[in-house]
Amino acid sequence: MLDLLLKTIWLLIPAYTPNNFAVIFGGGMPIDMGKKFIDGRRILGDGKTLRGFIFGVLGGIICGVIQYYVELPFSINLFSSLAISDAFILISSLSIGSLTGDVAGSFIKRRLGKERGSALPFFDQLTFLIFAYLFAYHLSPHFTTIFTVNIIIAGLIITPVLHFLANYIAFKLGLKDVPW
Ligand code: CTP
Ligand code: MG
């Protein structure tokens, strides 16, 4: 059980970290270039920038490649049980899928009339993950050998929990004004 939990978190790092890199390195031109959709609201909003997307994807990939080499001495059913080129495709598709899901999430949030930065619990935490899974499933022939059904399901359950936990800790440490 603990083994499954830790393994799931480890394998999802290339999907979890891109948004953090986007927060750090984002800014500049928004992906929607300031344009509005037919409903009169922004297509995506100022929270989705090209720089954030690019550096976010790169950050996630770098994390995954570092993980690959850290794992090497142990490697059982982790990234390093694949050849580096295959692992690279898996890691990249998780990272690109994650931020594409993040963009898709903002598109839907704007259609629902939610302002940039507003929280939409579960939705915010699951769209990026579902997109990461779908991208990896379609782009990496080795997705299903590493991501067993147990890991996929565990990811869907623990991701919202981890998110709320991380925010609560950040709140307790005084890094955030609200615990969500
Ligand atoms: N960010 C970025 N480019 C991206 C994704 C994120 O520059 N592709 C940066 C933005 O500064 C953004 C911050 O990371 O404000 C936090 O990301 P996120 O919570 O995903 O965006 P929100 O500002 O909350 O916008 P939204 O309501 O559309 O989710
Ligand atoms: Mg947000």
Side-chain angles (χ1 to χ4, degrees):
M1 198 58 184
L2 182 68
D3 185 63
L4 176 69
L5 193 79
L6 294 176
K7 210 173 145 187
T8 305
I9 295 171
W10 179 260
L11 291 175
L12 285 175
I13 287 175
Y16 287 156
T17 50
N19 191 264
N20 299 99
F21 285 104
V23 173
I24 298 168
F25 299 108
M29 191 179 53
I31 295 171
D32 67 7
M33 301 201 278
K35 291 197 179 70
K36 292 188 168 121
F37 197 61
I38 45 170
D39 56 8
R41 299 179 190 280
R42 283 287 295 275
I43 300 175
L44 301 172
D46 287 329
K48 303 292 112 123
T49 67
L50 201 59
R51 217 165 67 201
F53 192 93
I54 292 166
F55 285 97
V57 166
L58 287 178
I61 294 173
I62 290 169
C63 285
V65 171
I66 292 171
Q67 286 177 266
Y68 182 93
Y69 290 105
V70 169
E71 282 172 4
L72 270 181
F74 327 99
S75 95
I76 329 148
N77 303 326
L78 299 175
F79 295 121
S80 55
S81 59
L82 302 175
I84 181 66
S85 55
D86 291 328
F88 189 81
I89 294 170
L90 174 59
I91 289 161
S92 308
S93 51
L94 285 170
S95 181
I96 295 168
S98 162
L99 279 189
T100 305
D102 180 59
V103 166
S106 292
F107 178 78
I108 297 169
K109 278 167 78 177
R110 298 300 90 80
R111 304 291 73 74
L112 295 173
K114 294 264 174 199
E115 295 300 321
R116 174 221 172 155
S118 62
L120 200 52
F122 294 103
F123 182 87
D124 272 337
Q125 292 101 55
L126 291 176
T127 34
F128 85 86
L129 183 62
I130 291 166
F131 269 71
Y133 282 157
L134 288 175
F135 269 55
Y137 177 73
H138 287 287
L139 298 173
S140 162
H142 301 279
F143 172 70
T144 46
T145 44
I146 307 292
F147 283 78
T148 57
V149 175
N150 283 346
I151 290 178
I152 293 172
I153 293 170
L156 292 171
I157 297 168
I158 65 176
T159 300
V161 178
L162 282 178
H163 192 263
F164 293 121
L165 213 62
N167 284 335
Y168 186 72
I169 292 169
F171 167 70
K172 280 289 179 192
L173 291 174
L175 300 171
K176 288 190 67 164
D177 296 334
V178 285
W180 50 82

